[in-house]
Amino acid sequence: MTSTVIILIVGIVVVLTAVYVSWRAGRLDRLHIRLELAGQALDAALLQRRSAVLLLAGSRILDPATSLMLATAAQEARIAGPEERERAESDLSRTIRAVVDQDRFREKLAEAPGGADLLEELDAVVTKVVYSRRFHNNAVGVTRTAQQRWLAKTLRLAGHTDFPRFFEIDDDPPKSMATE
């Protein structure tokens, strides 16, 4: 009778442990999926921002020097490799701020034909980059925490996936946009 009870208790403990480990592995898998989707959303937002900047630069509304400055920054962000990507995207953010925060820039652009639409699109994509980066970095933080737990480390529940990296860029919106 006691051996049957001991075997039953050990069996229950083994089953509960297996269920818990399976649940943790599933959670870690879902976190990796969330992280991947957040990374794709961030890439899409950065691409949309570059496209909006190139549309603005090619609109012939701005002076040639400003257009060239915007187009160059957007092109450098587009062709940047993985090591230079954060720097290039930060440079694009600073260039956007330098251009949009010029005196009466918004008023002049809004008066030009099609300028208000370009400005509205630029504001939308700048905001989208800010939110996408925050969401991505939040997903990175949660995933890193889950990967660092002793059970995940001991049983290698994350497999051979790379340790996720935060995407740190200067994505502050232009001051004239933040006040609206």
Side-chain angles (χ1 to χ4, degrees), residues 24-85:
R24 293 300 297 176
R27 174 163 166 65
L28 195 53
D29 188 48
R30 288 187 303 276
L31 288 173
H32 279 106
I33 291 169
R34 176 181 167 211
L35 177 63
E36 187 175 325
L37 291 173
Q40 290 172 357
L42 177 60
D43 289 341
L46 293 170
L47 177 66
Q48 288 174 343
R49 182 176 74 162
R50 289 190 301 265
S51 296
V53 167
L54 287 172
L55 275 174
L56 180 61
S59 67
R60 297 181 184 222
I61 295 174
L62 307 175
D63 62 275
T66 302
S67 292
L68 181 62
M69 193 168 72
L70 283 171
T72 301
Q75 177 66 7
E76 286 177 8
R78 188 184 74 77
I79 63 171
E83 298 300 318
E84 305 92 27
R85 187 167 181 219

Side-chain angles (χ1 to χ4, degrees), residues 13 23 30 41 69 75 78 86 91 96 99 108 121 124 130 134-135 147 179:
V13 169
W23 176 77
R30 288 187 303 276
M69 193 168 72
Q75 177 66 7
R78 188 184 74 77
E86 290 177 352
D91 289 347
I96 292 170
V99 168
K108 291 176 189 174
E121 182 179 356
V130 171
R134 285 182 190 161
F135 186 74
Q147 283 184 348
T179 59

